[in-house]
Amino acid sequence: MADFRLPPLNDGERLYRALLHLYPARFRRAFGQELVEAFRDQRRDARGRDQRASAFWAGVLRDLVTQAAAERCASLWRAAHSIRGINDEDSIMTALPQALRPLELRLAVRRLARAPSFTVTTIVVLALGIGATTAVFSVVNGVLLRPLPYASPDRLVALGHTVQVGGVSSVQQSDGTLLLYQRHASAFDGIAGWRYVGANVAPGASAANAERVDGAAVTANFFDVLGVRQGVGRVFRENEDRPGAAPVVVLSNAFWQSRFRGDSSAIGTRIVVDGISREILGVMPRGFAFPSAATRLWLPVAFDPAHTADGNFNYSGIGRLRAGVMPEAARADLERILPRLLEEYPNPIPREMWEGAHVRPTVVPLRDSLVGEVSGLLWILLGSVSLVLVIACANVANLFLVRGEARSLEHAVRGALGSGIAGIVAQCLSEAIMLSLAGGIIGVALAAVGIKVVADVGGSLGLPRVSELSVDIRVLSFAFGIIALCALFISLLPMLRARRTPIASVLRAAGRGSISGGTHQRARSVLVVAQVALALVLVAASGLLARSFSRLRSVRPGFDASGVVVARLFAPEATYRTPASVVRLYADILERVRAIPGVRDATITNWVPLTDDHDDTVMGVEDHPLPPNGVPRVHFFINAGADYFRTMRIPLLAGRTIDAHDPTAPAREVVVSRAFAERYWPGGSPLGKRIRPGLDSEWYTIVGEASDVHLDALDKPVNDAVYFPLVMGGSGAPDVARYAALLVRGSRSEIGSAVRNAVHAVDPTLPTFDERSLDAVVSAASARARMTLALLAAASMIALLLGAVGLYGVMAYGVSLRQREIGVRLALGAQPSDVRRMISRGGLGLAAIGVVIGTACALGVTRLLRGLLYDISPTDPLTLGATSVVLLAMAFLASWIPARRASSLDPVEALRDG
Amino acid sequence: MPPDDFLPLKPDAFYVLLVLLHGERHGYAIMREAAERSDGRVELQAGALYRLLRRMLDDGLVVESQRRPAADADDERRRYYRVTALGRRVIAADVERMASLVEAARAALA
């Protein structure tokens, strides 16, 4: 029996058929069937040749995508030519120069001046949109795009290491690694190291009345590697970064100006830094701000090649690549050198342990390492303000359409009298240009103000490079570009309409006294749907951030911050030579502080939670011996003075706190956090177990278990932490933190100055600094999240408002067009409520389409926020649902007013006027 | 449009016309023969070929043939294309152009 079945459609062919929809419909209708035939033939041949399916499909898909795109462009091109009308001179190309003629622009200004409310509204909307976009772009430009302000900045790299050690994944540089790399690396012109330091700087030759300033300890070649020269005097010379070198210092321009009024005779004089008299070598030029804008002075490090601490990665490394060397090649160079570390710079670290840690160098462009995590945030902000700008433009385009409509009679008359379409288009374009320009100029001025604000508050939010922010040529070009785009965008629809104005019908309709705007109304509806959809994306994004922020707010830090003030101090070695003297100083201060009326508790620690304070070390646990080649885990390390847990109100879950802080007989006792206990003794008690910091120190006995605390961030899990006594170390060499913070819990808020006085009374040379309430510390920990939320919320509020205004405009105008119809309905007995419902339904319908499209977009877009969200999914259904409700509510409000007006029409008047 | 407006022909357009000078062909046959005659230098993919044909149809260089080849070789579903008089003139003009180029180059190299 003959088989009449058609050849079976297999999956490949089905896919190909589906993909043919990439082609324009006309092309597909003409050649679709043949393309399928050719596809079959090709595949048969490919199988005959034993061609791999993947290779075959790669060819087919490449052909399909490129040709479909080309054909689409071609068909657009043809369409553009076909609406060009009868003669070519009537094109946008000729309208543009005409629109830019001074006369045309002057006429445009005159026309706009006759419609002040339209003009002012448009300019305000555009100024806000352009201003916000330009401001955010200038931050993106200054922080992310602009090269670093140093010589050949593309050759500057940041050097670090990755490690495979429990509790830590990356480390910076130690003195040993820096010295090793400096000695052997061939891929670099220079390698330098630095770390942040604070310094007590006295105003005169004596140490009294010192103030605390931020500084950096740097290797001698630091400035050479960055490629900067001093403004006055000189910078460090070789070997000034070795022990025993003469004490010297380089000042920042700002510090020089404030302290010496820019007097160059200050060079060569001495200032007292941390109790040591140092010679001022030179002053850096204005604007030099590395490692930070707050850096006031640079001190040389004192690296001792004979005594390095290879495992203390306390320094940051920067390098200048040799010309033509890529970062990856430089990394390979360092990796080759690193194994020599333990031979050349002997250290107690056992070789097996060092190898077990898998230390590997990293080399990344310095700019990337400075900018770090904020880049994603900035691009998201730029994206959101761009959306606001698009919504603003859609709104203005809408206003333009309405205006164009009102003038369609004028246009028709001009057309009938023989004026070319180009004339009408030019008229519209010149108005758009003037409006965008005015909005743009105000916008750029607003942006300039905005940048100042960002520069002021950005630093405290951890935004890098804020001191470099300015409106430069790139920002101005950007602003000019978006002004031009705005002008085109807002005049595009009216221009396209002008081409197709059916002169005869407009004139006829005008004779009847009504101009129907059916097609215009559709164009405006499309704009409104787009606005609602875009607004929904923004509202959803800020809704997610708001939910995330409220979750972040409800995170308990693990201590009670209210009523606690923080004041830091630093006990310089030059004044307090022995640990015992430091301990005595702390004891004296605490005694005085506790005597202040209103003070309940006071303590001293090296680490204020949720600040940049940080201390960690590998720790050994006695009953968890390391496997061969094992590397001990890194744990956070806190020196807790007496009364620490009571002052912080950190509940003690078991055991007791450490009481003795005697410098002569350091207590070898520790308190561990619950998370630490759970890690090693899940379900059991840690009391009585022994641990030790480092590799070979004495064992410490766990005497207490405290509840968990967020030490480094609220949006990360609680940390497993170990609380050591203030005084540590073996009986022979006690050690105590010199950089310390006073925590004082009081009943009154104004104990801050009393604390300062108490310290001053004990030692007048000792400044207190960074004084603030612990509450402020906690809220600063979520400051960036709050700022992001505030910005995005502002953007989405504007978007919502503009969306509502747009919808209102369309509905109100629709009602005015349908007056006659509504009048008839009312006259025929329709109830006002029917009319109201009819109009509202129209508005809600438009909004609903926008909501559906917007939700689909939001599902895609909010994924970009993932990194900014805490404990909430980017597609959180509750947020998206609530957002839709908000948008629909807005739509209801926006259409309610026109609906009300429609239902209160007097049918007699409506029919007479309509 | 005068034939010179189409010159110089791109290689793929040249080979499509060249193939069609030998008689009416359907799309896949054009692809295969163009590859053969150019020793594999012109490997047209389906989309590229039909876009080219679309342009040539628009420009009047080829038309869809109403005649069919011998009945047994015919395939009902396929469309066949043949070159028009304009198409002939265009490829002839391009051949002339290339011939004079070759001549001039030979003279210069001699």
Side-chain angles (χ1 to χ4, degrees):
Chain A
M1 195 177 177
D3 188 354
F4 291 110
R5 277 177 307 175
L6 289 167
L9 259 182
N10 60 35
D11 290 341
E13 187 170 324
R14 208 169 286 139
L15 176 66
Y16 187 73
R17 276 175 192 273
L19 288 173
L20 284 182
H21 285 267
L22 291 173
Y23 284 109
R26 229 183 83 187
F27 186 85
R28 200 172 61 241
R29 274 197 299 274
F31 299 108
Q33 186 55 40
E34 302 214 17
L35 280 165
V36 173
E37 293 289 341
F39 170 78
R40 280 190 198 145
D41 291 338
Q42 246 176 319
R43 198 169 47 172
R44 196 189 51 228
D45 285 5
R47 282 187 183 144
R49 285 200 309 273
D50 277 342
Q51 190 184 11
R52 287 235 312 276
S54 57
F56 169 73
W57 274 101
V60 166
L61 289 179
R62 192 168 49 235
D63 174 59
L64 199 95
V65 170
T66 53
Q67 298 301 331
E71 187 61 24
R72 283 211 174 264
C73 288
S75 81
L76 271 181
W77 178 249
R78 276 200 307 277
H81 277 255
S82 69
I83 61 165
R84 251 196 189 170
I86 304 144
N87 76 45
D88 270 352
E89 281 130 8
D90 281 345
S91 71
I92 296 180
M93 294 305 151
T94 57
L96 187 59
Q98 194 178 338
L100 286 171
R101 281 205 309 244
L103 173 68
E104 193 69 50
L105 292 175
R106 221 167 31 240
L107 285 173
V109 172
R110 213 173 285 166
R111 281 194 303 274
L112 291 172
R114 278 202 301 269
S117 60
F118 166 80
T119 307
V120 170
T121 316
T122 312
I123 290 179
V124 167
V125 168
L126 284 176
L128 285 178
I130 295 175
T133 317
T134 307
V136 175
F137 176 79
S138 50
V139 176
V140 168
N141 176 47
V143 176
L144 302 181
L145 303 181
R146 209 189 288 170
L148 295 171
Y150 312 121
S152 315
D154 48 320
R155 284 165 52 201
L156 286 173
V157 289
L159 311 177
H161 296 98
T162 57
V163 292
Q164 290 175 20
V165 176
V168 58
S169 61
S170 69
V171 294
Q172 298 290 309
Q173 302 285 341
S174 65
D175 51 0
T177 57
L178 282 170
L179 287 168
L180 182 80
Y181 293 152
Q182 282 182 334
R183 186 189 287 179
H184 296 294
S186 57
F188 296 85
D189 278 346
I191 288 176
W194 61 270
R195 69 185 174 94
Y196 286 112
V197 294
N200 299 347
V201 179
S206 90
N209 296 318
E211 67 169 314
R212 184 74 180 180
V213 300
D214 288 323
V218 302
T219 54
N221 63 344
F222 174 79
F223 299 105
D224 297 336
V225 169
L226 285 174
V228 288
R229 302 178 57 77
Q230 67 282 357
V232 193
R234 70 169 177 92
V235 292
F236 306 125
R237 292 204 182 110
E238 211 178 330
N239 290 330
E240 277 179 330
D241 56 359
R242 291 289 181 269
V248 288
V249 62
V250 170
L251 306 182
S252 79
N253 191 286
F255 191 59
W256 182 50
Q257 296 293 347
S258 71
R259 181 59 73 88
F260 299 100
R261 297 202 176 76
D263 183 356
S264 50
S265 69
I267 309 299
T269 62
R270 309 183 81 83
I271 55 171
V272 179
V273 181
D274 282 342
I276 296 172
S277 168
R278 289 177 178 268
E279 182 188 345
I280 300 171
L281 290 183
V283 177
M284 294 312 290
R286 184 187 300 280
F288 177 74
F290 194 87
S292 98
T295 307
R296 292 288 173 268
L297 47 81
W298 291 267
L299 310 169
V301 295
F303 282 175
D304 183 354
H307 301 95
T308 55
D310 299 348
N312 291 356
F313 295 90
N314 292 331
Y315 293 88
S316 299
I318 52 173
R320 174 171 290 279
L321 297 175
R322 248 182 228 296
V325 174
M326 302 311 285
E328 178 48 39
R331 202 196 65 75
D333 184 35
L334 298 185
E335 185 150 34
R336 185 177 52 77
I337 298 164
L338 187 58
R340 300 190 214 167
L341 179 68
L342 295 188
E343 290 151 32
E344 300 198 18
Y345 297 98
N347 208 271
I349 304 175
R351 177 163 285 279
E352 307 79 59
M353 190 179 285
W354 175 262
E355 278 160 8
H358 298 285
V359 186
R360 301 190 65 201
T362 57
V363 176
V364 293
L366 184 59
R367 186 171 67 179
D368 296 356
S369 93
L370 289 181
V371 168
E373 57 189 8
V374 301
S375 74
L377 171 66
L378 287 181
W379 287 118
I380 286 170
L381 276 183
L382 187 60
S384 352
V385 291
S386 307
L387 281 188
V388 171
L389 181 64
V390 170
I391 295 173
C393 280
N395 236 351
V396 172
N398 227 329
L399 292 173
F400 245 73
L401 271 180
V402 174
R403 188 171 152 77
E405 191 130 313
R407 289 191 357 223
S408 60
L409 178 59
E410 178 197 334
H411 289 165
V413 170
R414 282 178 69 160
L417 292 176
S419 152
I421 290 171
I424 298 169
V425 170
Q427 198 183 12
C428 180
L429 199 54
S430 57
E431 286 178 15
I433 289 169
M434 290 319 285
L435 289 171
S436 303
L437 210 55
I441 289 170
I442 300 174
V444 170
L446 287 177
V449 176
I451 294 169
K452 283 243 179 314
V453 175
V454 173
D456 287 346
V457 304
S460 60
L461 297 176
L463 198 60
R465 302 183 70 188
V466 283
S467 56
E468 298 169 38
L469 292 183
S470 65
V471 175
D472 64 2
I473 186 73
R474 194 171 354 199
V475 172
L476 286 179
S477 324
F478 174 86
F480 187 79
I482 57 174
I483 288 171
L485 276 180
C486 284
L488 271 181
F489 184 74
I490 61 183
S491 55
L492 193 64
L493 277 175
M495 278 192 317
L496 290 177
R497 297 281 150 197
R499 305 172 166 292
R500 298 199 223 154
T501 306
I503 294 170
S505 70
V506 170
L507 292 177
R508 228 178 5 254
R512 280 203 313 270
S514 83
I515 301 170
S516 156
T519 53
H520 285 220
Q521 193 68 358
R522 195 179 321 131
R524 275 199 305 277
S525 301
V526 170
L527 282 176
V528 163
V529 168
Q531 286 185 43
V532 170
L534 291 177
L536 184 132
V537 171
L538 279 176
V539 173
S542 57
L544 283 172
L545 282 177
R547 293 251 295 156
S548 153
F549 185 68
S550 82
R551 299 226 167 162
L552 198 56
R553 284 289 296 246
S554 64
V555 171
R556 307 243 68 90
F559 53 86
D560 177 12
S562 58
V564 177
V565 295
V566 182
R568 293 177 187 278
L569 48 92
F570 178 78
E573 209 163 349
T575 324
Y576 297 93
R577 294 184 187 282
T578 63
S581 62
V582 177
V583 174
R584 199 150 51 249
L585 168 76
Y586 292 165
D588 291 349
I589 290 173
L590 281 178
E591 190 183 333
R592 278 184 185 266
V593 166
R594 287 186 180 126
I596 298 170
V599 166
R600 291 212 190 108
D601 299 298
T603 187
I604 237 166
T605 179
N606 68 329
W607 183 337
V608 180
L610 301 176
T611 63
D612 290 338
D613 293 345
H614 187 94
D615 216 341
D616 59 29
T617 180
V618 293
M619 275 185 211
V621 180
E622 194 178 34
D623 62 356
H624 285 67
L626 281 178
N629 296 346
V631 184
R633 208 180 161 81
V634 171
H635 288 287
F636 288 172
F637 174 115
I638 300 114
N639 287 116
D643 290 349
Y644 178 83
F645 295 95
R646 195 166 69 220
T647 311
M648 293 291 281
R649 303 272 194 275
I650 299 173
L652 200 66
L653 303 176
R656 58 176 175 84
T657 59
I658 316 157
D659 299 319
H661 297 275
D662 181 353
T664 55
R668 275 192 270 291
E669 296 172 343
V670 293
V671 173
V672 297
S673 74
R674 182 172 180 75
F676 184 93
E678 281 297 308
R679 177 182 295 283
Y680 290 103
W681 305 281
S685 167
L687 300 186
K689 311 285 191 203
R690 298 207 302 168
I691 62 176
R692 65 178 174 189
L695 300 174
D696 51 1
S697 75
E698 277 127 336
W699 292 102
Y700 284 68
T701 307
I702 299 174
V703 298
E705 180 184 354
S707 80
D708 285 322
V709 170
H710 287 274
L711 282 170
D712 63 344
L714 286 173
D715 56 356
K716 292 183 194 152
V718 290
N719 309 104
D720 29 348
V722 182
Y723 300 88
F724 284 90
L726 202 53
V727 189
M728 296 181 60
S731 42
D735 193 17
V736 63
R738 294 181 173 276
Y739 177 75
L742 271 169
L743 297 169
V744 184
R745 178 177 294 277
S747 53
R748 297 178 302 131
S749 54
E750 60 274 16
I751 51 178
S753 60
V755 169
R756 196 178 318 134
N757 292 338
V759 174
H760 195 80
V762 173
D763 180 352
T765 73
L766 214 58
T768 56
F769 53 94
D770 199 14
E771 294 160 18
R772 49 189 175 150
S773 71
L774 198 54
D775 271 328
V777 169
V778 174
S779 89
S782 50
R784 191 185 285 172
R786 189 168 45 231
M787 193 70 179
T788 313
L789 172 63
L791 289 173
L792 228 65
S796 58
M797 280 302 123
I798 295 174
L800 209 54
L801 190 69
L802 289 175
V805 169
L807 187 61
Y808 168 78
V810 168
M811 297 315 296
Y813 195 72
V815 166
S816 75
L817 288 181
R818 290 166 71 185
Q819 253 182 25
R820 181 192 284 264
E821 176 207 327
I822 293 167
V824 170
R825 281 173 188 267
L826 289 171
L828 291 178
Q831 292 301 309
S833 59
D834 299 334
V835 172
R836 256 202 311 271
R837 214 172 298 135
M838 177 180 80
I839 303 289
S840 302
R841 206 182 292 142
L844 282 177
L846 284 183
I849 301 174
V851 164
V852 171
I853 298 175
T855 306
C857 297
L859 282 173
V861 169
T862 49
R863 277 164 217 285
L864 300 175
L865 294 174
R866 191 174 297 252
L868 300 177
L869 296 181
Y870 171 73
D871 197 22
I872 191 156
S873 150
T875 52
D876 178 49
L878 184 64
T879 309
L880 288 177
T883 307
S884 308
V885 171
V886 167
L887 264 288
L888 288 175
M890 169 214 87
F892 179 76
L893 275 181
S895 50
W896 186 72
I897 302 171
R900 230 181 93 86
R901 191 178 306 151
S903 66
S904 60
L905 273 178
D906 179 350
V908 179
E909 285 198 4
L911 286 172
R912 194 191 300 140
D913 297 347
Chain B
M1 273 197 284
D4 284 357
D5 283 8
F6 295 101
L7 303 191
L9 285 170
K10 293 226 177 73
D12 43 3
F14 183 88
Y15 274 101
V16 168
L17 287 176
L18 184 63
V19 167
L20 291 181
L21 282 179
H22 290 81
E24 299 168 2
R25 297 284 188 276
H26 60 70
Y28 189 64
I30 299 176
M31 286 162 63
R32 249 188 3 224
E33 249 183 271
E36 272 166 32
R37 286 180 189 282
S38 65
D39 290 334
R41 279 192 302 275
V42 172
E43 287 230 10
L44 279 166
Q45 291 281 341
L49 172 77
Y50 280 102
R51 282 199 59 229
L52 193 58
L53 281 176
R54 200 264 301 146
R55 277 206 302 275
M56 288 180 157
L57 285 164
D58 286 354
D59 292 340
L61 302 185
V62 298
V63 286
E64 202 179 318
S65 163
Q66 298 306 317
R67 270 187 318 163
R68 295 287 175 193
D72 55 345
D74 193 4
D75 188 333
E76 223 16 76
R77 285 173 306 221
R78 295 190 190 278
R79 276 192 279 174
Y80 286 72
Y81 299 92
R82 72 178 164 78
V83 65
T84 61
L86 177 63
R88 262 173 210 283
R89 285 209 300 281
V90 167
I91 187 166
D94 202 38
V95 170
E96 276 309 307
R97 183 188 63 86
M98 287 192 281
S100 63
L101 270 181
V102 170
E103 212 166 293
R106 285 226 171 97
L109 288 167

